[in-house]
Amino acid sequence: MKALHFGAGNIGRGFIGKLLADAGLQLTFADVNQVVLDALNARHSYQVHVVGEQQQIDTVSNVNAVSSIGDDVVALIAQVDLITTAVGPVVLERIAPTLAKGLELRRANANDAPLNIIACENMVRGTSQLKEHVKKALSAEAWAWVEQHVGFVDSAVDRIVPPSESATNDPLEVTVETFSEWIVDKTQFKGELPNIPGMELTDNLMAFVERKLFTLNTGHAITAYLGQLAGHQTIRDAILDEKVRAVVKGAMEESGAVLIKRYGFEADKHAAYIKKILGRFENPYLKDDVERVGRQPLRKLSAGDRLVKPLLGTIEYGLPHVNLIKGIAAAMHYHSEQDPQAQELKQLLADKGPQAALVEVSGLDANSEAVTEAVKAYNAIA
Ligand SMILES: NC(=O)C1=CN([C@@H]2O[C@H](COP(=O)(O)OP(=O)(O)OC[C@H]3O[C@@H](n4cnc5c(N)ncnc54)[C@H](O)[C@@H]3O)[C@@H](O)[C@H]2O)C=CC1
Ligand SMILES: O=P(O)(O)OC[C@H]1O[C@](O)(CO)[C@@H](O)[C@@H]1O
């Protein structure tokens, strides 16, 4: 079985690509980073440091790489059985025209073998969003063929993989936590369901997507934003700060109450899930900067993401949300010289003030209590 993975970054090399290669798939990475492409094609292997309660160094072998721009990647799309991505939410739209070209070629070559495409991004149904971008790039005829032969499979992906700090400056080395979870929607596949150890199949994906988004991502983001305000550099230092931890745990409990109500999760099992995540944030072997985890605050403050989406759930069910509000207020204070979204947020706040800025970014109702509460919390921090 042949696979093509877009994005040979942290999650690409440290999680999804590793699982595919370990399962014996003939794997090619597609990327725009020439240093990474050259290193992969020179060595065809790289090391993954797995750090946590147990530590090991795994070698991923027999991998190739191709530029994601040009004819070679198009030719591969026409041949492979599985395409995965871990490029970041905003890049999905950019790779869609290439995918469309490859699918056109596949059709022209009369390759009717099933192909499945899985976006592995921190997004709610990211593959479905990619599907819409691909559809826009194709004629109606081509799209009808694609709908028959290509499965667009949504997934939830969970493994903390910060940028590696290789002592040898190896551009391929990657450090990952022990925990990993990749859950895919089995109802969306074309052809036989794949058997890839580490890939779990479900027919109830949204429960898993929201469980991960509302817990790991919500908690992580609030740890980052409150951590930065308290002067901490890393997620570990931030979560070991009792004041930060209390709000983070409280926010995960608030979003957890939404999940319990919406999906019927068992309260004690969900409490154990929260506890495990707090332990993952404390991992002493990962140096994960609050700036990385808080990156792109406009995306993280948007209506469908980890802060506002669970807040909307608490409003829907009439549940408490004081800690989620504190997290949103802290996110509005996020700063980073490197991050264009942080600069944009700062400008928006300066131009429009916190109430209008929050409404614009989050889509929340300007007259809602939640906005009033968040602005009050924002001003209290200021
Ligand atoms: N790092 C983590 O712990 C986790 C990340 N994620 C998600 O995985 C996705 C990737 O994140 P990371 O691996 O951390 O980012 P990363 O920045 O390490 O990797 C992204 C890779 O995509 C490549 N890329 C950019 N434009 C491209 C294009 N047009 N074609 C092909 N490749 C392109 C970059 O060169 C880079 O190698 C994001 O959606 C993130 O939210 C999800 C779970 C965990
Ligand atoms: O990758 P994003 O969406 O910017 O957010 C950072 C998040 O991604 C992860 O790295 C993986 O889920 C988390 O550690 C963190 O919550």
Side-chain angles (χ1 to χ4, degrees):
M1 196 171 169
K2 285 186 185 170
L4 174 64
H5 177 88
F6 282 82
N10 300 314
I11 279 293
R13 295 196 314 282
F15 186 18
I16 304 302
K18 180 178 186 320
L19 282 191
L20 301 179
D22 286 353
L25 276 76
Q26 210 177 309
L27 175 65
T28 304
F29 285 102
D31 206 294
V32 288
N33 182 331
Q34 201 55 47
V35 174
V36 168
L37 293 174
D38 290 345
L40 283 168
N41 281 328
R43 285 154 42 188
H44 302 287
S45 74
Y46 62 88
Q47 287 192 329
V48 178
H49 294 240
V50 185
V51 297
E53 300 106 45
Q54 301 112 28
Q55 313 244 5
Q56 64 192 58
I57 299 177
D58 293 344
T59 301
V60 176
S61 308
N62 299 322
V63 293
N64 291 299
V66 68
S67 168
S68 75
I69 301 157
D71 293 340
D72 291 350
V73 72
V74 172
L76 269 174
I77 295 165
Q79 293 166 23
V80 297
D81 309 288
L82 180 67
I83 295 176
T84 48
T85 78
V87 288
V90 288
V91 179
L92 284 184
E93 189 169 2
R94 285 186 225 150
I95 63 169
T98 306
L99 284 170
K101 268 193 200 163
L103 296 175
E104 290 271 25
L105 181 63
R106 200 174 172 98
R107 176 168 164 252
N109 292 347
N111 179 359
D112 288 350
L115 164 68
N116 289 292
I117 300 178
I118 313 176
C120 307
E121 317 286 346
N122 272 342
M123 293 168 80
V124 177
R125 292 207 176 273
T127 317
S128 295
Q129 296 186 41
L130 175 63
K131 181 178 177 178
E132 289 309 309
H133 296 310
V134 174
K135 185 177 176 182
K136 272 189 220 145
L138 287 169
S139 66
E141 260 184 324
W143 182 248
W145 181 90
V146 167
E147 284 220 290
Q148 246 185 309
H149 300 100
V150 181
F152 285 85
V153 180
D154 288 303
S155 82
V157 53
D158 189 3
R159 175 170 243 184
I160 299 176
V161 191
S164 178
E165 295 204 311
S166 164
T168 56
N169 284 328
D170 180 346
L172 299 183
E173 193 179 293
V174 59
T175 301
V176 306
E177 65 170 336
T178 326
F179 180 91
S180 69
E181 193 174 72
W182 184 23
I183 303 182
V184 301
D185 187 336
K186 72 176 183 186
T187 66
Q188 295 174 310
F189 278 92
K190 289 280 191 275
E192 274 180 36
L193 293 174
N195 181 8
I196 296 171
M199 174 202 268
E200 288 175 58
L201 302 161
T202 181
D203 57 7
N204 188 19
L205 184 73
M206 277 316 285
F208 289 102
V209 167
E210 290 203 345
R211 185 182 67 148
K212 191 242 168 180
L213 186 76
F214 286 20
T215 324
L216 182 285
N217 293 126
T218 303
H220 221 179
I222 296 177
T223 306
Y225 295 129
L226 288 174
Q228 187 183 61
L229 282 169
H232 300 297
Q233 201 206 329
T234 66
I235 290 294
R236 175 176 159 81
D237 288 349
I239 205 63
L240 291 175
D241 177 331
E242 282 311 318
K243 283 190 186 148
V244 172
R245 192 186 189 91
V247 178
V248 170
K249 184 164 176 281
M252 290 200 282
E253 286 165 356
E254 287 164 5
S255 60
V258 174
L259 295 168
I260 289 165
K261 185 100 181 156
R262 186 170 289 166
Y263 297 110
F265 288 160
E266 289 174 38
D268 54 344
K269 283 198 182 145
H270 195 68
Y273 180 67
I274 291 175
K275 193 170 170 212
K276 167 114 189 152
I277 286 173
L278 287 167
R280 290 170 63 198
F281 294 169
E282 281 178 37
N283 192 332
Y285 306 100
L286 288 181
K287 186 183 170 294
D288 206 358
D289 285 348
V290 293
E291 197 168 331
R292 178 195 85 82
V293 176
R295 66 186 171 190
Q296 300 178 346
L298 297 179
R299 170 167 63 90
K300 289 185 173 130
L301 279 165
S302 67
D305 215 288
R306 63 210 71 186
L307 299 168
V308 175
K309 199 166 196 300
L311 173 72
L312 290 170
T314 63
I315 295 169
E316 180 182 343
Y317 300 123
L319 294 165
H321 50 229
V322 61
N323 293 291
L324 286 165
I325 290 284
K326 284 183 187 165
I328 289 170
M332 293 166 69
H333 281 281
Y334 174 76
H335 54 272
S336 163
E337 293 303 320
Q338 272 62 260
D339 189 332
Q341 286 198 10
Q343 305 301 322
E344 212 181 310
L345 176 60
K346 193 175 162 189
Q347 194 58 50
L348 197 65
L349 284 160
D351 292 346
K352 301 195 170 176
Q355 193 204 17
L358 178 60
V359 168
E360 183 169 325
V361 170
S362 68
L364 287 166
D365 181 347
N367 301 314
S368 63
E369 272 178 41
V371 168
T372 308
E373 289 162 9
V375 170
K376 198 170 156 201
Y378 171 85
N379 288 331
I381 294 169

